[in-house]
Amino acid sequence: MSVSQSLFIRNGRIVDPSQKLDQVTDLWVRNGKIEAVGKNFSLPSEVHVQEIDATGLIVTPGWIDIHTHLREPGGTHKETIETGSRAAAAGGFTSIACMANTQPVNDSSYITTYIKQRVAAESPVNVFPIGAVTKGLKGEELAEIGSMREAGIVAISDDGKTVMNAYLFRKALDYSRRFDLVVISHAEDLNLKGLGVMNEGYHSARFGLRGIPKAAEEVIIARDIYLAELTGARLHIAHVSTAGSVALIREAKRRGLQVTAEVTPHHLTLTDEAVGSYDTNTKVAPPLREMEDIEALQEAVADGIIDALASDHAPHSREDKEVEYDQAEFGMVGLETAFPLYYSKVLKNHWDLSKLVAAMTIQPAKIIGVKKGTLSPGSDADISIFDPKKTWTVDKNQFRSKSQNTPFHGWELQGKPIYTIVAGQVVYSEVKK
Amino acid sequence: MNPAAHPTGNALHLKSLLGTESLKTEQIQILISTALAFKDRWDQQEPIPPTLAGKSVVMLFFEASTRTRSSFELAVQRLGGNPLVLTKSGSSTEKGETLLDTAKNIEAMDPDLLVLRHPSAGTPFLLDKTLSLPIVNAGDGFHEHPTQALLDLMTIFERRKRIQGIRVLIVGDIAHSRVARSDIYALQAMGAEVSVCGPPTLLPPKVEKMGVTLFHHLEQAVENQDVVMMLRIQHERFSSGQSPSKGEYARFYGMNQRILEMCSSDVLIMHPGPVNRGVELSTEVADSSRSVILNQVANGVFLRIAVMHLLLGGEPFSWKESVR
């Protein structure tokens, strides 16, 4: 940057759990980095200053979503790196991590490099690729994890599919230590899941749909926790959906293991009763569970047992979704509704704001090992600013994402991202010029 | 009756018959009494009203069916209408057309009613949101089969003159049975007491939340039941770890002379068909005087006549005895 640039965010409520900060004050950004937080600050007169009046708004470190699917390469009719990252910016996210289940799979440094190049050309936000654990996600041979690490991956995962071979998963955990990578587990025993399409319980009995028992998730989480203990590796559990899983993770943390976990907006807000409409946008893996699970998940975030909130943004085209329920693809989009769902449906009764912000900033940053998620001086000026009062109605036709597969269309939500700032640049703004 | 007298233009206040879960007692009473009245007329050689004269009914059958399909087809003909049967084989579905497109194309040809049989649960509910055409669900996956349940109730009422307080046991593969679900809801709406019996592998999760009594032992379950309804066991259950073999299934869950003797002397044995003789039902019981299986089939035609007649705005008929 040849010309010295500065951004002045005035009079916002700054909430930064990494510094235990919650006060109404000013924030200075200079040359893409955080310069200072506080009042009575003066800048050298030569710099060009852009100003944002954040009165009544809440200013936090940029939000990080460590679980998204951008579908590029191979699935660009559903999403691209450009549309997915624009959806992220509109949803208030400054950093996202994208899963490896593209076509071809991100299982080599070539694909990682390709994704990085596309990101550099197209994306307004930071995008961190996640590499595959096994070649082609087939669960047979390890992917070239080290080479992908050198090319820029931040984690490995066969997300979408469980590595059913425990021996191979153990080797992946062992190997990951050499490259300081976290291994993300998609925990669903494929045999127990079978042809299931929703949670196994009273409602699957009612709706005549094949069920997926909670134990399908819990047996794999239990297995993976034992393997993390065996290997000393870092294990992260994706999209935890059951109270039983929470209990397993709670116990693993109590024993001091390096185990972290995430939960999605939909598993915090919807039960399997929603499947009764046969709206295929409610079909997701793992499936929507029951109220007792929602309560356990909300409590687990409040207790710090679940470290991160993650959208599992999974775009699918209308062709994939406007079909019979048991034929439809699993997954829903989430980037543009995630934060308002947390804010209006969970926060008020269960969490304090600093918990919510920590689970979207410093905690996910630590899981994938990136120096993000803080407004401490000198750090990257990734900032999310939202209006806590603004109410709005979800309209899937307004999404930046290329896909509209959401069960939340028409929901009244409160809290809306107003500015998304990446490296000091405003990449998304709700404010009309 | 003036169709305008009803908000949906018919006595059932229903656009479509999708399932029994949401049916009210009065709706079930109207359906059964109208079906019984039609059966009476047929037996007296009196005419059935030509409600479907000049009308066409598309029957979209994505799953093999003999009984239900021929029953609907005859019902349409007896109401004076034209049935058009489309099956999956040889249809545009095999060329990759989606169900929704197939249905929209059918609607564009302006038929008066759609009968749908489909292997995926919920499909008639999905189509009902998109189409303005009335739909009759002729079975969707493991979900519902409302006309089968209603003809079962009709058969029970015919024999027992009431449904209120009747004790009904459903035996077998409840988990994969749309008949069981529809029967449970309809019977409960009419005040019957429903029990289910089967191996734990073939019972749906938390089935007791449906208000049924649960049994795993057939010998205990059959005691004091007015009706025992045997369900068909599909061969694929034996290859998927849900039951070890036909022989073992028959030994623990088959209805045979030994079990029949443990039942009330006037018990009704029912089966939605097709029967696996020697598996869930022994030949001697299937052909015994306690079996009303063929009455079910006979009643099915009249019940389906009643359903289509009423959905298309025909007058309800009350039978000589009030249905409860």
Short mmCIF file of all heavy atoms in Angstrom, two decimals, chain A residues 280 283 320-330:
data_model
loop_
_atom_site.label_atom_id
_atom_site.label_comp_id
_atom_site.label_asym_id
_atom_site.label_seq_id
_atom_site.Cartn_x
_atom_site.Cartn_y
_atom_site.Cartn_z
N THR A 280 -37.31 -30.45 1.94
CA THR A 280 -36.00 -31.11 1.88
C THR A 280 -34.88 -30.19 2.39
O THR A 280 -33.76 -30.65 2.60
CB THR A 280 -35.67 -31.56 0.45
OG1 THR A 280 -35.76 -30.43 -0.42
CG2 THR A 280 -36.64 -32.62 -0.02
N LYS A 283 -33.30 -31.41 5.49
CA LYS A 283 -32.50 -32.64 5.45
C LYS A 283 -31.03 -32.27 5.51
O LYS A 283 -30.50 -31.62 4.61
CB LYS A 283 -32.81 -33.41 4.17
CG LYS A 283 -32.09 -34.75 4.08
CD LYS A 283 -32.55 -35.53 2.88
CE LYS A 283 -31.68 -36.75 2.65
NZ LYS A 283 -32.08 -37.48 1.43
N ASP A 320 -31.15 -30.48 -6.85
CA ASP A 320 -30.74 -31.43 -5.81
C ASP A 320 -31.77 -31.51 -4.68
O ASP A 320 -31.76 -32.44 -3.90
CB ASP A 320 -29.41 -30.99 -5.18
CG ASP A 320 -28.29 -30.95 -6.17
OD1 ASP A 320 -28.23 -31.84 -7.03
OD2 ASP A 320 -27.45 -30.02 -6.10
N LYS A 321 -32.60 -30.47 -4.58
CA LYS A 321 -33.47 -30.37 -3.41
C LYS A 321 -34.96 -30.50 -3.73
O LYS A 321 -35.73 -30.89 -2.85
CB LYS A 321 -33.22 -29.03 -2.70
CG LYS A 321 -31.95 -29.01 -1.84
CD LYS A 321 -32.10 -29.91 -0.61
CE LYS A 321 -31.01 -29.68 0.41
NZ LYS A 321 -31.19 -30.54 1.61
N GLU A 322 -35.38 -30.15 -4.94
CA GLU A 322 -36.81 -30.21 -5.24
C GLU A 322 -37.19 -31.61 -5.72
O GLU A 322 -37.63 -31.81 -6.85
CB GLU A 322 -37.19 -29.13 -6.26
CG GLU A 322 -37.13 -27.74 -5.64
CD GLU A 322 -37.54 -26.62 -6.59
OE1 GLU A 322 -37.92 -26.92 -7.74
OE2 GLU A 322 -37.47 -25.46 -6.17
N VAL A 323 -36.95 -32.55 -4.85
CA VAL A 323 -37.20 -33.96 -5.15
C VAL A 323 -37.79 -34.63 -3.91
O VAL A 323 -38.00 -33.97 -2.89
CB VAL A 323 -35.89 -34.69 -5.55
CG1 VAL A 323 -35.35 -34.15 -6.86
CG2 VAL A 323 -34.83 -34.56 -4.46
N GLU A 324 -38.06 -35.92 -4.01
CA GLU A 324 -38.56 -36.68 -2.87
C GLU A 324 -37.60 -36.53 -1.69
O GLU A 324 -36.38 -36.47 -1.89
CB GLU A 324 -38.68 -38.16 -3.25
CG GLU A 324 -39.69 -38.44 -4.36
CD GLU A 324 -39.11 -38.33 -5.77
OE1 GLU A 324 -38.16 -37.54 -5.99
OE2 GLU A 324 -39.61 -39.01 -6.67
N TYR A 325 -38.16 -36.55 -0.47
CA TYR A 325 -37.31 -36.29 0.71
C TYR A 325 -36.14 -37.27 0.79
O TYR A 325 -34.99 -36.87 1.03
CB TYR A 325 -38.14 -36.38 2.00
CG TYR A 325 -37.46 -35.67 3.16
CD1 TYR A 325 -37.69 -34.33 3.40
CD2 TYR A 325 -36.56 -36.35 3.98
CE1 TYR A 325 -37.05 -33.67 4.44
CE2 TYR A 325 -35.92 -35.70 5.02
CZ TYR A 325 -36.17 -34.35 5.24
OH TYR A 325 -35.52 -33.69 6.27
N ASP A 326 -36.42 -38.54 0.57
CA ASP A 326 -35.33 -39.52 0.73
C ASP A 326 -34.34 -39.48 -0.44
O ASP A 326 -33.27 -40.09 -0.35
CB ASP A 326 -35.87 -40.94 0.97
CG ASP A 326 -36.87 -41.39 -0.08
OD1 ASP A 326 -37.07 -40.67 -1.07
OD2 ASP A 326 -37.46 -42.47 0.10
N GLN A 327 -34.67 -38.76 -1.51
CA GLN A 327 -33.75 -38.65 -2.64
C GLN A 327 -32.89 -37.38 -2.57
O GLN A 327 -31.92 -37.25 -3.31
CB GLN A 327 -34.54 -38.60 -3.96
CG GLN A 327 -35.47 -39.78 -4.18
CD GLN A 327 -34.72 -41.08 -4.26
OE1 GLN A 327 -33.73 -41.18 -4.97
NE2 GLN A 327 -35.15 -42.08 -3.51
N ALA A 328 -33.27 -36.43 -1.74
CA ALA A 328 -32.61 -35.12 -1.73
C ALA A 328 -31.21 -35.19 -1.13
O ALA A 328 -30.90 -36.08 -0.33
CB ALA A 328 -33.45 -34.12 -0.94
N GLU A 329 -30.35 -34.24 -1.51
CA GLU A 329 -29.01 -34.13 -0.92
C GLU A 329 -29.14 -33.64 0.52
O GLU A 329 -30.10 -32.94 0.88
CB GLU A 329 -28.18 -33.11 -1.71
CG GLU A 329 -27.91 -33.50 -3.15
CD GLU A 329 -26.67 -34.35 -3.30
OE1 GLU A 329 -26.05 -34.70 -2.29
OE2 GLU A 329 -26.32 -34.66 -4.46
N PHE A 330 -28.14 -33.97 1.33
CA PHE A 330 -28.06 -33.45 2.69
C PHE A 330 -27.43 -32.06 2.68
O PHE A 330 -26.47 -31.82 1.94
CB PHE A 330 -27.17 -34.35 3.55
CG PHE A 330 -27.78 -35.68 3.93
CD1 PHE A 330 -27.52 -36.82 3.18
CD2 PHE A 330 -28.59 -35.79 5.04
CE1 PHE A 330 -28.06 -38.05 3.54
CE2 PHE A 330 -29.14 -37.01 5.41
CZ PHE A 330 -28.87 -38.15 4.66
#
